Amino acid sequence: MNTAIDLIENVQVQAIIGPETSGEANFIADLGGKAQVPIVSFSATSPSLSSALSPFFIRTAYNDSAQMKAIAAIVQAFGWREAVPVYEDTNYGNGIVPYLIDDFQAINTRVPYRSVISPNASDDEILAELYKLMTMQTRVFIVHMLPTLGSRLFLKAMEVGMMTEGYVWIITDGLTNLLSSMDPSVINSMEGVLGVRPHVSRSKKLQSFEVSWKRRFIQENPDMENSDLDIFVLWAYDTAWALAMAAEKVAGVNSSSQQHKLSLNTSSVESLQVSKIGLELRQEILNTQFQGLSGEFKLVDGQLQSSIFRIVNVVGSGEKDIGFWTPSNGIFRSLNLNMTGTYSSSKDNLRAIIWPGDSTTVPKGWEIPTNGKKLKVGVPVKDGFTDFVNSQWDSTSNSYRVTGYCIDVFDAVMDTLPYSVPYEYIPFAKADHTSAGTYDDMIYQVHLQGYLFHDEQKYDVVVGDTTIIANRSLYVDFTLPYTESGVSMVAPIKADDRMNGLIFLKPLRYDLWLTIGGFFVFTGFVIWVLEHRINEEFRGPPRHQVGMIFWFSFSTMVFSHQEKVVSNRARFILIIWLFVVLILTSSYTASLTSMLTVQQLGPTVTDVQELLKNGENVGYQDGSFVFDLLKQMNFDDSKLKAYNSEDALDEGLSKGTANGGFAAAFDEIPYLNLFLSKYCSKYTMVGPTYKTDGFGFVFPIGSSLVGDVSRAVLNVTEGDKMIQIEKMWFPDTNCPGSSTTKSSVSLTPNSFWVLFLITGVASLLALLAFLIEFFWTHKNTWSIDPEATLWKRIVNMARHFDRKDFTCFTFRNQELQDKNTTGATGVASVPMSPTIISQHTTGNFVFSDDQATTSTGTSHRSSSDPISEEISNTTEQSQEISTPMELSNQEIMMPRSPEETNGKN
């Protein structure tokens, strides 16, 4: 400090190269700012120094924080989840800690402890700190020290056995850059250490300088063997060169100084000269760019920018390169400045490494200390569902006896680990041996264990029926689950419906019954329309015809119809309808058979909305997170009833809401499976499964055990050991009323809509085709009386529809039969003109004179009906040879033409 003041005050220097350490640079930078004299340092690398705080401080070296990302990349490559920084208690050592922690957080690596050692610490103090580190689980240490303290640290670490297999030591460039100048005994103690340091390209200029340097160094120091260049020598050379270049640019400016009184915090100096060229010289230094011995010399924000770091491994009496790190590409085995692609943090990109203890096996980064305490494993204390975990107080031995399915799984998992982990079970209980709180309270004890200022007894692990859910994972880590996941609902089973007298209606839902009945009537009506004019079996009195419509259609249900259909359209409709009926009857028979032969175990409640709508009470296990889940489903607090055992759950479901119980209960699937194994004949699991991740073991966030225990969980759950544990705690029960039997569901129209569509469309098309043909044939009847009303025209068309269609072959065959029958009995037929078509009514007719009246005296002949008039005239002509004849439901047959008669003869 005094030297700097003397240089500025007496020598009147315009710039200062130095100081060597960051602590000295902190004061001198402030002094240079007051005198406006640039302070240029090639070795003060602490991040606490910056041009932003001290404008006249210029760093021609790398900031220590730049290498933290390279160190974090190494830690990430090997998957170490914890690391302890070991640094000296100086401005140089403390400066990197915030940056190191930030970079470790970015890769999810935890810093459980910081080891700070004073530069003036004695050997005993160093040993005490190392012994403290040995009692911890973490085995990854980041050392940031100057060589003086670092050499002592590694010698003591070797002495206490911390340079053996399983340990990881990573040093920063403060030590790595000066490895060549350290004592061989120190290098020997650092066997297996990894280090990072700035990469220097081998240029011709550098090679030439090395030759000259070694020649002169040997001449001036004949007793020293090591003449290797380190990065600080190169930075010093480039710094002097840059300052010389800047000074040349301002050489023409008057270098005299003005006197100013400055109040300084020193008793020896009351005033300093302020340089007139300091501002210009500072700017020229910042703008200087050239290719130096260490690489490109270019200052950004008042300091040299980092680019590439070499990763070295201390082996034997020296070091070897194992890879490189760049900000853009990460870790790579060989350097390629033109490399493009994604960032890499793979350990496979590094060359073979020799670890402490001359080991080639990658350390896992943590160990259970042999001189440490056992893991404190917390277990819950509960009254019900003790098959999972049961903590019983034994007054005889004055200790707890912990058993259960979860305990056996944890024991099996820990036995699977490739190393021994001592642990002990500590129930989460009060002094009276009752539960000390909820599961969340117990899990939070693991979170508190990570804070050293807590003096209470906390848990390292929690084992039990602890469910993995999101809000818990915010403050603890879980292993992989070892049970089935999810929350579901259990409800009582309905009574067996087989004793119900109306069960025969249940196979089909009411709307399907109505649909089938409608199609029966519709199909019967269509066939009647198609057959009425041409088929005697579909004629008769109105009541007879209505009955025929229903009889014919419904008789097809059992295929017992005896009426023949003669129309092709009716046959087509009937074929389709019989196929539909066959499918319907087969489905009905199968469904009814299932209902009568299989025991129906349908639940009394089917979904959550039904519970909410009916205001039913709902059960949940006391202390479970399911309570919060039910609140999210909009259940009111007054409707939620807690239970704490299987028997309490059975009692609540048996009572129901009306008697103070609950209609259904929600719980995790492992609990429900255990419950149903005892009460499967009374209850069943229904409804959707609400996703959870099952049961898992609880560890502090960042615990190194989580990964190994999770892998061990997979080994146990996929092996025979898990089957043995499950059979021991949850033996199979032969339950006659298995909850897997589902209630038969009534069939609906949705199952047959295609069949109904086909038969409906076919019937409508056939009916439409018939009506079009009928109206076209009798269009004259429709328009014969222009003055007739629409209703009268419809009545006339209906009368024509009600008459027989004698053009059909069915009535021609009947005419022939009647003629043959008359000839045989000697009864003469009524002669008729060949062009006359006899008319037919459904009543009894008597033809006499020129009238045709029914037996009741009602006239059925219209004055405008030419066919009736023809019949009347024919009757009058034959009165002389035939008496009036009464025709009951008979047709007046049309005689054949003479040609047809001769043909027959």
Side-chain angles (χ1 to χ4, degrees):
M1 180 183 67
N2 293 330
T3 303
I5 295 175
D6 180 64
L7 290 173
I8 296 174
E9 177 66 23
N10 300 321
V11 183
Q12 298 183 3
V13 297
Q14 303 302 317
I16 296 178
I17 297 179
E20 183 178 352
T21 66
S22 298
E24 296 172 348
N26 193 30
F27 174 80
I28 297 178
D30 183 64
L31 191 66
K34 295 181 182 297
Q36 294 187 5
V37 173
I39 307 299
V40 186
S41 176
F42 57 85
S43 58
T45 57
S46 174
S48 61
L49 295 169
S50 69
S51 296
L53 299 176
S54 303
F56 280 84
F57 174 76
I58 300 173
R59 181 174 14 232
T60 55
Y62 291 166
N63 188 329
D64 281 337
S65 63
Q67 61 186 314
M68 294 301 104
K69 294 187 181 298
I71 293 174
I74 298 173
V75 173
Q76 183 181 18
F78 291 98
W80 298 316
R81 293 305 178 190
E82 287 188 357
V84 173
V86 183
Y87 55 94
E88 64 178 47
D89 191 12
T90 61
N91 192 27
Y92 166 78
N94 296 322
I96 60 104
V97 175
Y99 301 91
L100 179 66
I101 293 178
D102 288 344
D103 289 331
F104 277 180
Q105 285 181 346
I107 62 172
N108 197 26
T109 296
R110 181 169 170 256
V111 178
Y113 178 71
R114 305 176 191 179
S115 178
V116 186
I117 301 176
S118 171
N120 300 319
S122 64
D123 290 347
D124 291 339
E125 291 174 336
I126 295 176
L127 286 174
E129 186 64 23
L130 290 175
Y131 281 126
K132 186 175 182 179
L133 295 177
M134 290 180 66
T135 62
M136 299 179 182
Q137 293 185 4
T138 306
R139 289 293 181 265
V140 179
F141 305 107
I142 312 300
V143 180
H144 181 61
M145 295 177 175
L146 292 175
T148 304
L149 181 61
S151 300
R152 296 171 59 203
L153 175 73
F154 280 104
L155 288 173
K156 294 302 177 184
M158 185 176 184
E159 180 181 328
V160 298
M162 294 183 68
M163 299 303 298
T164 57
E165 185 175 0
Y167 285 88
V168 178
W169 295 88
I170 302 176
I171 58 176
T172 61
D173 63 352
L175 287 172
T176 311
N177 288 330
L178 301 175
L179 284 174
S180 60
S181 62
M182 291 184 180
D183 189 89
S185 62
V186 176
I187 297 297
N188 184 57
S189 68
M190 297 174 67
E191 178 84 21
V193 171
L194 299 182
V196 295
R197 69 180 180 189
H199 169 67
V200 178
S201 300
R202 301 295 299 175
S203 62
K204 292 183 178 180
K205 183 178 180 181
L206 176 59
Q207 293 175 358
S208 176
F209 179 80
E210 283 183 338
V211 173
S212 301
W213 167 267
K214 290 183 178 181
R215 184 185 304 115
R216 184 170 180 178
F217 183 87
I218 294 173
Q219 292 176 355
E220 296 179 358
N221 304 281
D223 297 333
M224 297 183 64
E225 297 180 359
N226 187 3
S227 61
D228 293 337
L229 292 173
D230 57 53
I231 189 65
F232 293 108
V233 174
L234 303 182
W235 280 339
Y237 182 89
D238 291 343
T239 300
W241 192 266
L243 187 57
M245 294 175 63
E248 287 181 354
K249 294 180 181 180
V250 296
V253 180
N254 187 2
S255 61
S256 62
S257 301
Q258 297 178 342
Q259 294 291 332
H260 292 278
K261 294 292 182 177
L262 297 179
S263 297
L264 300 174
N265 295 325
T266 176
S267 59
S268 60
V269 178
E270 295 181 355
S271 64
L272 284 177
Q273 294 181 357
V274 177
S275 174
K276 293 179 61 177
I277 65 171
L279 286 173
E280 186 177 358
L281 181 60
R282 169 184 174 274
Q283 191 61 40
E284 289 296 338
I285 296 174
L286 295 177
N287 294 335
T288 300
Q289 296 185 33
F290 64 93
Q291 195 68 28
L293 296 180
S294 61
E296 183 182 11
F297 186 92
K298 180 180 180 182
L299 301 178
V300 179
D301 296 330
Q303 61 185 7
L304 202 63
Q305 295 301 296
S306 60
S307 57
I308 304 172
F309 283 92
R310 295 171 60 191
I311 305 174
V312 301
N313 183 201
V314 179
V315 180
S317 59
E319 63 185 60
K320 69 171 184 177
D321 292 336
I322 59 172
F324 296 86
W325 178 88
T326 65
S328 58
N329 299 110
I331 294 175
F332 282 93
R333 180 173 300 185
S334 299
L335 183 62
N336 183 359
L337 297 179
N338 298 322
M339 186 184 307
T340 59
T342 59
Y343 187 89
S344 172
S345 59
S346 172
K347 64 182 179 181
D348 296 332
N349 288 339
L350 295 174
R351 295 185 177 89
I353 299 174
I354 302 298
W355 301 98
D358 200 25
S359 172
T360 57
T361 302
V362 177
K364 60 176 176 291
W366 66 274
E367 294 287 348
I368 297 297
T370 56
N371 56 346
K373 298 179 181 179
K374 295 181 178 180
L375 287 178
K376 293 178 290 186
V377 180
V379 292
V381 175
K382 55 193 305 184
D383 297 327
F385 296 98
T386 54
D387 292 41
F388 289 99
V389 58
N390 186 18
S391 301
Q392 291 182 333
W393 174 255
D394 187 353
S395 57
T396 304
S397 60
N398 200 29
S399 63
Y400 280 96
R401 182 173 180 268
V402 181
T403 59
Y405 166 76
C406 300
I407 302 301
D408 286 355
V409 172
F410 183 73
D411 291 339
V413 167
M414 300 307 284
D415 289 342
T416 307
L417 293 176
Y419 45 83
S420 176
V421 179
Y423 58 91
E424 59 179 339
Y425 293 113
I426 304 175
F428 186 54
K430 299 178 183 177
D432 59 355
H433 312 302
T434 60
S435 177
T438 65
Y439 274 55
D440 286 339
D441 296 333
M442 176 179 63
I443 292 173
Y444 196 68
Q445 300 299 306
V446 177
H447 173 70
L448 295 179
Q449 186 273 344
Y451 295 92
L452 300 177
F453 55 84
H454 282 278
D455 296 329
E456 304 175 23
Q457 176 176 296
K458 303 299 182 291
Y459 299 128
D460 300 300
V461 188
V462 163
V463 172
D465 45 352
T466 51
T467 306
I468 305 171
I469 55 178
N471 65 332
R472 292 174 178 173
S473 65
L474 296 176
Y475 50 90
V476 294
D477 275 348
F478 288 92
T479 63
L480 291 176
Y482 57 91
T483 63
E484 186 178 0
S485 62
V487 173
S488 191
M489 178 175 67
V490 65
I493 297 173
K494 290 181 180 179
D496 196 349
D497 288 337
R498 291 182 295 177
M499 304 303 294
N500 189 346
L502 297 178
I503 192 174
F504 66 91
L505 295 175
K506 193 173 181 180
L508 309 183
R509 207 169 69 181
Y510 73 93
D511 50 354
L512 182 56
W513 280 115
L514 295 176
T515 303
I516 293 174
F519 270 88
F520 268 121
V521 175
F522 175 69
T523 305
F525 171 76
V526 171
I527 292 179
W528 174 81
V529 169
L530 299 177
E531 294 290 312
H532 177 67
R533 303 187 75 242
I534 62 176
N535 193 337
E536 279 289 351
E537 294 186 355
F538 289 85
R539 303 186 62 82
R543 286 181 297 178
H544 172 76
Q545 295 184 53
V546 172
M548 175 58 68
I549 291 175
F550 285 94
W551 159 253
F552 180 81
S553 60
F554 281 96
S555 64
T556 59
M557 183 168 57
V558 291
F559 306 99
S560 62
H561 55 286
Q562 298 179 356
E563 295 77 11
K564 296 181 178 180
V565 293
V566 297
S567 168
N568 285 332
R569 293 191 185 100
R571 289 171 178 172
F572 175 70
I573 297 302
L574 189 59
I575 290 173
I576 296 177
W577 177 244
L578 289 176
F579 177 74
V580 173
V581 170
L582 175 64
I583 299 299
L584 291 174
T585 54
S586 300
S587 301
Y588 173 85
T589 303
S591 182
L592 182 61
T593 302
S594 175
M595 290 182 177
L596 292 175
T597 57
V598 179
Q599 184 180 10
Q600 306 303 310
L601 297 177
T604 56
V605 180
T606 57
D607 57 34
V608 174
Q609 296 303 320
E610 184 178 350
L611 293 170
L612 291 170
K613 180 180 179 181
N614 298 333
E616 301 281 4
N617 291 341
V618 173
Y620 70 95
Q621 188 177 166
D622 191 19
S624 171
F625 73 95
V626 176
F627 176 82
D628 295 326
L629 178 62
L630 295 175
K631 291 293 294 289
Q632 294 176 10
M633 296 180 189
N634 298 322
F635 282 101
D636 189 76
D637 288 355
S638 60
K639 299 296 181 182
L640 302 179
K641 307 294 181 182
Y643 59 85
N644 55 12
S645 65
E646 300 97 315
D647 295 337
L649 175 57
D650 173 48
E651 181 181 357
L653 290 173
S654 300
K655 288 182 177 180
T657 302
N659 298 318
F662 35 85
F666 287 81
D667 213 332
E668 296 174 79
I669 290 178
Y671 296 118
L672 296 183
N673 288 336
L674 177 62
F675 173 73
L676 292 177
S677 67
K678 301 177 181 179
Y679 299 98
C680 60
S681 61
K682 298 171 62 177
Y683 309 103
T684 184
M685 196 185 306
V686 294
T689 298
Y690 301 91
K691 183 65 177 176
T692 61
D693 285 333
F695 296 163
F697 304 127
V698 183
F699 287 85
I701 287 182
S703 173
S704 304
L705 276 170
V706 173
D708 288 348
V709 173
S710 293
R711 284 184 284 272
V713 167
L714 291 177
N715 292 332
V716 171
T717 54
E718 294 176 0
D720 296 334
K721 184 64 176 179
M722 195 68 173
I723 298 175
Q724 298 174 6
I725 296 174
E726 289 178 347
K727 286 184 177 180
M728 182 175 65
W729 289 104
F730 312 123
D732 295 334
T733 56
N734 296 322
C735 183
S738 175
S739 60
T740 58
T741 304
K742 302 296 181 183
S743 176
S744 297
V745 180
S746 299
L747 299 175
T748 66
N750 293 332
S751 304
F752 307 100
W753 70 270
V754 175
L755 293 176
F756 288 133
L757 178 64
I758 293 173
T759 186
V761 171
S763 298
L764 287 174
L765 291 176
L767 181 61
L768 182 62
F770 170 81
L771 292 176
I772 292 174
E773 180 183 359
F774 176 77
F775 274 89
W776 178 259
T777 303
H778 299 85
K779 58 184 178 180
N780 293 333
T781 302
W782 181 265
S783 60
I784 192 170
D785 187 0
E787 297 180 357
T789 63
L790 177 62
W791 174 250
K792 188 173 182 180
R793 293 184 180 188
I794 293 175
V795 171
N796 287 337
M797 293 300 291
R799 288 175 178 173
H800 277 282
F801 171 76
D802 193 47
R803 296 169 184 168
K804 289 183 178 181
D805 183 3
F806 284 99
T807 62
C808 180
F809 72 94
T810 56
F811 292 128
R812 290 178 181 174
N813 293 338
Q814 184 176 356
E815 176 191 2
L816 180 60
Q817 293 175 3
D818 291 347
K819 183 176 181 181
N820 293 336
T821 303
T822 304
T825 57
V827 180
S829 301
V830 178
M832 298 185 66
S833 171
T835 61
I836 298 175
I837 301 176
S838 300
Q839 303 302 307
H840 172 76
T841 64
T842 58
N844 295 327
F845 291 83
V846 175
F847 293 90
S848 64
D849 299 334
D850 58 349
Q851 278 187 333
T853 60
T854 64
S855 59
T856 60
T858 304
S859 176
H860 280 253
R861 187 182 67 175
S862 172
S863 60
S864 61
D865 190 344
I867 300 178
S868 299
E869 292 178 0
E870 185 68 25
I871 294 174
S872 177
N873 294 334
T874 305
T875 306
E876 291 177 354
Q877 294 175 3
S878 25
Q879 283 180 348
E880 297 179 356
I881 61 174
S882 64
T883 60
M885 296 181 295
E886 182 179 288
L887 303 178
S888 178
N889 259 343
Q890 301 294 325
E891 307 87 83
I892 301 175
M893 305 302 297
M894 180 178 67
R896 301 181 181 276
S897 63
E899 293 79 1
E900 291 176 339
T901 305
N902 293 335
K904 291 290 182 180
N905 292 334

